[in-house]
Amino acid sequence: MIFHSHKGYPERRNFLNSRLVRFKQSVDVFKLICHISFKWLNNIPQWGLNLYWHPFKSRKATLHFFNGIALSRQRFVTTFETALPRLGKVPTWLNSWAVKRLAGNDCLGLIAISQCTYNIQKQFLEEKHPHLSAAIMAKTIVLHPPQPVLVERVRERVIAPVIFTFVGNQFFGKGGREILATFQKLHAEGYNFQLNIISNFSPDGYASHTTQKDTEELNARFATLPPSISIIGKLPNNELLTLLKQSHVALMPTYADTYGYFVLEAQACGCPVITTDIRALPEINNNECGWVIKVPKDTLGNGVLHIPEERAMFSKTIEKELYTTVKEILASPEIIQPKAAAALRRIKEEHDPERHAQRLVEVYGLGK
């Protein structure tokens, strides 16, 4: 049995649904701190989310975290998306203690969800903790999330209209504004398509620097949209997957994402995706199984979005390349089917749940 402290989407997506391991939720002192902080201060400290403490749990227990580190003396494995420790603003001694826990024998292994994540962790440790870098990276592996295949085969040909689907609660940060502008322009030019937009349209203060005012202005535009653009709002996951199975092309021209789980779900439905090339996205999408928009990035794969001028250039690049790509698809819809077949094939080959589960068993040391 493997214990865990949280059961959110990242945990479920990366290990809690493993078919070869039984998981059980564990008491965590820091989780209680987070609960109290949220109730009293309406705030959850990052260090509270990503640290674990249970001094009375057996030393033989093994825990699996997402971005977390056990400070009490239990064995643990951590799957992570950027770099560890991920504690926010904490005293230097606490950060150093957490790094030592990663290097120590209690840490059985670290799982980077992409090669990009692995590279970020390696650079961080070499710069900030060079004396522990080798010990930590020696136990770090790259293991992409599992993804079951959701259709047996792709449709043989595309019947008009071509159906595009966008999914993203942070509408602006996922490239939603650029998508809307692109398809409104193509509609004005007489192209036939169907665009589904699934979102709660929340603003994004991190990447696109949008606010509630942007959301209000967006809502005012909805009444002027043509019938070929459907604003659906939120959907339960099973209904979302049904919609993806009926779609021809998925859209994720995002500003910032550590991974892109939606890309895997779309590909598993035989639906190729248009993405940007930030962070892990080039590892799971390419021009053989989808379409890739090249955007300004730094050496670690993050979009260059620090100042308004950079964000404006980023947006302009997405809209220009998205327009060209979608126009090509609408002019030659026969290009979709080979990409759909390649997308489904890469899910089968690179995200097989059985192989992923077996790799987890090896990291836990359960086969020894």
Side-chain angles (χ1 to χ4, degrees):
M1 179 185 293
I2 304 297
F3 293 90
H4 64 98
S5 58
H6 296 272
K7 54 181 179 181
Y9 183 77
E11 288 84 359
R12 297 195 307 273
R13 202 63 185 75
N14 283 279
F15 54 87
L16 286 184
N17 291 330
S18 175
R19 302 171 186 178
L20 299 181
V21 182
R22 190 159 65 97
F23 291 92
K24 183 177 180 180
Q25 192 158 15
S26 172
V27 172
D28 176 11
V29 171
F30 284 104
K31 191 173 182 182
L32 176 60
I33 292 172
C34 287
H35 177 74
I36 294 171
S37 177
F38 181 74
K39 285 288 187 181
W40 290 0
L41 305 175
N42 197 32
N43 176 60
I44 298 177
Q46 191 171 42
W47 55 266
L49 282 176
N50 295 329
L51 291 176
Y52 172 90
W53 181 275
H54 190 328
F56 304 114
K57 183 173 286 296
S58 169
R59 281 281 289 119
K60 295 181 179 180
T62 299
L63 300 108
H64 195 154
F65 307 113
F66 189 83
N67 290 335
I69 297 173
L71 296 185
S72 51
R73 303 294 296 183
Q74 286 90 35
R75 297 175 300 189
F76 68 96
V77 172
T78 295
T79 297
F80 65 105
E81 59 185 337
T82 300
L84 297 172
R86 189 170 179 169
L87 306 182
K89 294 181 179 181
V90 296
T92 301
W93 66 265
L94 181 55
N95 202 68
S96 297
W97 187 13
V99 175
K100 289 177 182 177
R101 290 291 292 157
L102 296 176
N105 293 333
D106 285 337
C107 179
L108 301 180
L110 300 174
I111 301 173
I113 63 173
S114 68
Q115 185 62 47
C116 176
T117 293
Y118 181 97
N119 295 341
I120 291 172
Q121 176 75 349
K122 187 172 186 291
Q123 178 173 313
F124 166 74
L125 290 172
E126 289 175 348
E127 290 180 357
K128 303 295 184 180
H129 306 277
H131 60 299
L132 296 175
S133 176
I136 295 173
M137 295 310 298
K139 64 177 83 176
T140 304
I141 64 169
V142 176
L143 186 60
H144 286 262
Q147 174 63 56
V149 171
L150 299 174
V151 296
E152 291 299 319
R153 62 181 65 86
V154 300
R155 66 195 77 190
E156 294 184 1
R157 66 190 183 93
V158 175
I159 300 174
V162 178
I163 302 172
F164 297 83
T165 295
F166 165 84
V167 178
N169 283 335
Q170 289 190 340
F171 178 81
F172 302 97
K174 301 286 186 182
R177 183 158 45 189
E178 291 78 10
I179 289 170
L180 206 53
T182 294
F183 281 87
Q184 285 183 290
K185 183 177 180 181
L186 288 167
H187 171 77
E189 293 174 4
Y191 284 94
N192 183 28
F193 59 83
Q194 176 63 44
L195 171 63
N196 302 311
I197 295 178
I198 295 93
S199 178
N200 64 9
F201 305 101
S202 57
D204 159 49
Y206 169 67
S208 64
H209 283 239
T210 43
T211 65
Q212 190 60 38
K213 182 181 178 181
D214 294 285
T215 299
E216 292 167 1
E217 291 175 354
L218 178 69
N219 288 334
R221 291 175 58 187
F222 289 163
T224 67
L225 296 178
S228 57
I229 300 177
S230 298
I231 305 298
I232 298 174
K234 293 189 70 174
L235 279 180
N237 189 250
N238 62 322
E239 294 182 26
L240 169 60
L241 294 179
T242 298
L243 185 61
L244 282 175
K245 292 172 186 177
Q246 298 167 351
S247 302
H248 301 109
V249 178
L251 302 166
M252 192 179 169
T254 182
Y255 281 54
D257 263 280
T258 55
Y259 193 79
Y261 300 111
F262 169 68
V263 174
L264 302 189
E265 291 182 332
Q267 291 174 338
C269 292
C271 184
V273 192
I274 303 173
T275 69
T276 50
D277 64 341
I278 61 163
R279 292 295 295 265
L281 288 174
E283 300 175 46
I284 60 176
N285 192 39
N286 54 57
N287 288 318
E288 179 185 351
C289 64
W291 298 264
V292 177
I293 296 171
K294 294 185 178 296
V295 292
K297 305 184 302 299
D298 63 22
T299 57
L300 295 176
N302 297 296
V304 178
L305 301 163
H306 304 294
I307 58 176
E309 291 77 12
E310 291 173 342
R311 293 191 290 275
M313 177 57 68
F314 200 91
S315 174
K316 184 178 180 181
T317 301
I318 290 176
E319 189 172 329
K320 176 177 179 292
E321 296 303 319
L322 184 63
Y323 172 81
T324 300
T325 300
V326 174
K327 190 173 182 178
E328 177 191 13
I329 293 169
L330 293 175
S332 305
E334 66 274 9
I335 68 176
I336 297 173
Q337 199 276 342
K339 291 178 184 282
L344 191 60
R345 187 165 58 249
R346 75 163 300 278
I347 291 297
K348 293 177 180 179
E349 294 173 353
E350 300 180 32
H351 298 272
D352 178 63
E354 295 296 332
R355 288 200 295 269
H356 185 278
Q358 186 57 52
R359 194 71 183 93
L360 283 183
V361 168
E362 294 169 2
V363 174
Y364 298 146
L366 295 179
K368 296 180 181 178

